[in-house]
Amino acid sequence: MAMFTGKMSAQTNVDSLINVLETQKLTAKEQLDVLIELCDVYKDSNIEKLMIFSKKGLQLAQKENDKVMTADFYRYVGCGYDLYGDKDTAVIYYEKGLELAVEIKYKKCEALLYKDLGYLNVISGQYNDSNIAMEYYLKALQIFESIDDKKNIALTLNSISGYHKYLRNTERAYYYIKRAKKLAEEINYDYAKVGIYYNLGQINEYVDESIIYDLKSLEIARNIGHKRGQIMALQSLAYIYCLDKEENDIAEKYADECLQIAEEYGQRYSCIAAWTVLSYVYLYQKRYDDCKTMVLKAWEADSVNVQISTLTNLAAAYLYSGELDKAHDFFVKYVYLIEEMSSKKFQKNMAEMETKYETEKKELRITALEKEKTWIIIVSIIAVLFVLSVLYYRNKLNKNKIKQLEQEKLLVASQAVIDGETSERVRLSRDLHD
């Protein structure tokens, strides 16, 4: 059914599609097409609905033994868990989808899953391995280029730029974001422009230009119903107006809208990000009780990942409120957390160095053994050649000796004949003389 194919825009009546799905008699293939469209929209607008329709789609695809759709829905279910913050479960679904996509040679899905796994490895604590992330991104890019998928080439270039931004490789981040921007604008792909303009705002060193890019990203995200994009742009604008331009009323407006959309979207980390930026706004507005409330909300949702970035806000709020003992306690806690992080990082680096040392030592041992084996083989070959040479020359010498003996025998025989003839001539000559 053609009506269910292609990317849906914000103007598409999603409710009517759901109504069609629930009330009309559709074939299994038609149902799967609708479910794919719904997942594609809800991954950027409503995580709860994404999970509902992706799991329903996966169940139906497996029932119909439709391997292409099964791979797609594995990816969407993994995406849902990823957005919820359940990285362990997300990886399980991503890897199932990847295995199936490789098996059936479904290149586009394979590349999309490489890109998803790359992103997960960049931002997630347990899976934070930027080398693997880059490997995944480059695999995705290579496949998208091989099938000439310009939309996903632009998206992947933007992801690689974000990876370099994360590693503070500004020059490389600019290189990839410029390629992504050029391609997205050539094909007029708004979905990619949302992330590209946002990243350009983050990389740019000039505040006013960053604001321009954030506003561009926000406008497009609103037009296409991309709530994740709206949240990112609004958060960035709130920080700029609070920390750089010191215009706290404008910052508060953007932060409030960010929180509202984050709550609609349903992603825990988006809400945490909104509460965090609001804590900064309230601190600079000298609304210390509100600042404390926002920080504690963020802590309640995820204390591990937000304590470092908000502890100073909380300590300062207590300090300015005149609660010196609590301010002192939180400053001490901040110092301890920094030390703990440094210690963990140090231990991790030490463990990596030890692993690297053992690996290199093992590799050197293997190399040495291989060299030793090589020399043994070479010496053995030389020895065999020497023996063969000796045998050859001995054989040749024996042949020469035999030939020499035969020649000597022939010479003796010839001499005997000659001697015999000479004796006969002498005898005849004597007879004649007598």
Side-chain angles (χ1 to χ4, degrees), residues 277-338:
V277 70
L278 273 168
S279 76
Y280 279 93
V281 173
Y282 292 151
L283 179 64
Y284 284 92
Q285 289 177 332
K286 300 182 180 180
R287 294 165 58 181
Y288 304 125
D289 287 339
D290 291 334
C291 173
K292 287 182 278 187
T293 299
M294 290 300 106
V295 172
L296 294 172
K297 270 191 174 184
W299 280 21
E300 186 179 351
D302 185 9
S303 61
V304 174
N305 290 314
V306 299
Q307 278 191 4
I308 292 295
S309 62
T310 56
L311 261 173
T312 52
N313 287 1
L314 196 58
Y318 280 115
L319 178 64
Y320 292 127
S321 298
E323 300 176 72
L324 301 183
D325 289 340
K326 287 187 177 180
H328 173 266
D329 290 343
F330 283 109
F331 273 123
V332 170
K333 189 172 184 178
Y334 174 79
V335 172
Y336 279 137
L337 275 174
I338 292 293

Side-chain angles (χ1 to χ4, degrees), residues 130-381:
S130 54
N131 292 327
I132 292 177
M134 191 59 171
E135 183 181 336
Y136 282 137
Y137 280 147
L138 292 176
K139 281 183 178 180
L141 183 61
Q142 183 180 25
I143 294 172
F144 287 136
E145 288 176 338
S146 72
I147 61 177
D148 197 30
D149 187 341
K150 289 184 171 60
K151 290 182 177 181
N152 278 304
I153 291 172
L155 289 169
T156 307
L157 288 170
N158 183 49
S159 294
I160 295 174
S161 173
Y163 154 84
H164 282 293
K165 175 171 67 70
Y166 173 81
L167 294 179
R168 306 292 189 270
N169 297 335
T170 306
E171 186 178 341
R172 298 303 292 168
Y174 262 120
Y175 169 76
Y176 283 103
I177 201 68
K178 285 177 182 176
R179 287 178 60 189
K181 179 176 180 288
K182 181 181 178 182
L183 181 56
E185 290 176 344
E186 281 177 1
I187 62 177
N188 195 27
Y189 186 31
D190 283 343
Y191 186 81
K193 290 178 189 176
V194 171
I196 290 167
Y197 291 146
Y198 168 78
N199 272 340
L200 277 166
Q202 298 298 296
I203 297 169
N204 204 294
E205 59 182 312
Y206 302 107
V207 172
D208 290 338
E209 288 187 21
S210 293
I211 290 173
I212 291 170
Y213 281 122
D214 282 337
L215 288 172
K216 278 186 177 183
S217 177
L218 179 61
E219 182 184 3
I220 297 170
R222 282 172 174 162
N223 288 338
I224 66 175
H226 192 325
K227 288 188 178 177
R228 270 198 300 166
Q230 293 174 59
I231 292 165
M232 292 188 300
L234 288 165
Q235 183 190 2
S236 179
L237 287 164
Y239 273 120
I240 289 174
Y241 276 99
C242 176
L243 303 178
D244 295 308
K245 296 185 78 69
E246 298 182 5
E247 297 180 31
N248 291 312
D249 290 341
I250 298 175
E252 184 182 1
K253 182 189 73 170
Y254 284 127
D256 283 338
E257 188 180 352
C258 178
L259 178 58
Q260 179 189 342
I261 297 173
E263 288 173 342
E264 291 172 2
Y265 184 45
Q267 186 184 27
R268 181 165 57 103
Y269 289 113
S270 293
C271 292
I272 291 169
W275 290 324
T276 301
V277 70
L278 273 168
S279 76
Y280 279 93
V281 173
Y282 292 151
L283 179 64
Y284 284 92
Q285 289 177 332
K286 300 182 180 180
R287 294 165 58 181
Y288 304 125
D289 287 339
D290 291 334
C291 173
K292 287 182 278 187
T293 299
M294 290 300 106
V295 172
L296 294 172
K297 270 191 174 184
W299 280 21
E300 186 179 351
D302 185 9
S303 61
V304 174
N305 290 314
V306 299
Q307 278 191 4
I308 292 295
S309 62
T310 56
L311 261 173
T312 52
N313 287 1
L314 196 58
Y318 280 115
L319 178 64
Y320 292 127
S321 298
E323 300 176 72
L324 301 183
D325 289 340
K326 287 187 177 180
H328 173 266
D329 290 343
F330 283 109
F331 273 123
V332 170
K333 189 172 184 178
Y334 174 79
V335 172
Y336 279 137
L337 275 174
I338 292 293
E339 288 179 352
E340 184 181 350
M341 278 185 62
S342 299
S343 177
K344 285 180 179 178
K345 190 172 182 180
F346 174 75
Q347 295 298 331
K348 182 182 177 183
N349 289 338
M350 287 296 292
E352 288 176 352
M353 287 174 64
E354 288 174 3
T355 302
K356 184 180 179 182
Y357 169 73
E358 292 297 330
T359 303
E360 289 178 349
K361 188 168 71 173
K362 185 177 180 182
E363 288 174 351
L364 286 171
R365 193 183 302 121
I366 291 170
T367 303
L369 286 171
E370 287 176 348
K371 286 182 178 179
E372 186 177 338
K373 287 178 182 177
T374 302
W375 277 111
I376 289 171
I377 292 169
I378 291 171
V379 170
S380 299
I381 291 171

Side-chain angles (χ1 to χ4, degrees), residues 49-60:
K49 289 183 179 179
L50 167 64
M51 292 300 291
I52 291 170
F53 290 113
S54 63
K55 288 184 175 181
K56 187 173 182 179
L58 179 59
Q59 186 178 12
L60 180 58

